[in-house]
Amino acid sequence: MPSWASVGSMDAVRRETIGTEADATHKRRTFRKFTYRGVDLEQLLDVSSEDFMQMVTCRARRKFKRGLKRKPMGLIKKLRIAKQNTPELEKPACVKTHLRSMIIVPEMIGSIVGVYNGKQFTQVEIKPDMVGYYLGEFSITYKPVRHGRPGMGATHSSRFIPLK
């Protein structure tokens, strides 16, 4: 049977090794690298529109195959201009649009788009994870229902609760 002195020293050694392992894991921590359908972000920004068209879903591919009309091309041009006119390390100016059916392309990453939801323009900052989705998916068009809240028409006892 070991003496208590040796057990205490073994425990201290064990704590030291656990501490060094924890430091090593913190140093080795890497962030998840973004890929879209197996293509890195840097390569995705350089990819041609035909190659990007082959990467997206069939609905988006059909839309691109039928051609981008004047309004979507105008939005992309405005986003390019807004990016060019921004100083270093600042966000570009917001570009307002009603085009909720516009598919987000890699060129739009980093831009700020004001998407109309029927009442106001919701500012959406385009991130790499949003590529391939519609702009309208990031601007909700209704106010979600809050069930069970007192107010008009809930119950007879709630008539006397002041409405804000």
Side-chain angles (χ1 to χ4, degrees):
M1 184 163 196
S3 68
W4 289 107
S6 65
V7 171
S9 63
M10 290 284 288
D11 198 27
V13 170
R14 197 174 297 126
R15 268 190 246 125
E16 286 177 21
T17 57
I18 290 172
T20 56
E21 288 173 8
D23 293 340
T25 57
H26 284 298
K27 291 176 187 173
R28 281 189 277 139
R29 182 173 173 226
T30 57
F31 294 103
R32 180 179 67 92
K33 194 167 187 174
F34 174 77
T35 59
Y36 179 76
R37 309 267 169 120
V39 179
D40 290 336
L41 180 61
E42 293 83 23
Q43 296 170 351
L44 191 64
L45 293 171
D46 297 333
V47 108
S48 68
S49 58
E50 288 81 21
D51 293 336
F52 177 69
M53 192 172 83
Q54 296 305 316
M55 285 187 231
V56 293
T57 58
C58 60
R59 171 51 52 185
R61 195 166 36 247
R62 174 179 163 80
K63 187 168 188 161
F64 286 130
K65 200 171 189 177
R66 293 173 63 87
L68 285 176
K69 305 294 186 234
R70 185 173 176 214
K71 287 185 179 180
M73 287 307 294
L75 174 65
I76 290 175
K77 285 179 185 175
K78 284 181 183 179
L79 290 173
R80 274 188 210 140
I81 292 168
K83 268 190 182 177
Q84 288 172 356
N85 294 340
T86 39
E88 239 358 87
L89 300 172
E90 285 190 26
K91 292 183 179 180
C94 179
V95 177
K96 293 181 177 181
T97 184
H98 282 244
L99 299 174
R100 297 175 57 83
S101 61
M102 175 75 183
I103 295 169
I104 297 173
V105 294
E107 188 179 352
M108 297 168 75
I109 293 174
S111 301
I112 296 177
V113 183
V115 184
Y116 193 65
N117 66 1
K119 183 179 181 182
Q120 62 198 12
F121 290 93
T122 309
Q123 285 196 358
V124 178
E125 184 179 351
I126 307 296
K127 294 181 171 56
D129 297 334
M130 299 179 179
V131 172
Y133 288 94
Y134 291 98
L135 279 176
E137 293 183 62
F138 303 102
S139 175
I140 193 164
T141 56
Y142 61 91
K143 185 177 176 185
V145 178
R146 302 167 83 193
H147 293 284
R149 300 269 192 245
M152 285 300 281
T155 60
H156 290 291
S157 62
S158 66
R159 284 187 201 159
F160 305 107
I161 297 174
L163 297 172
K164 289 187 179 183

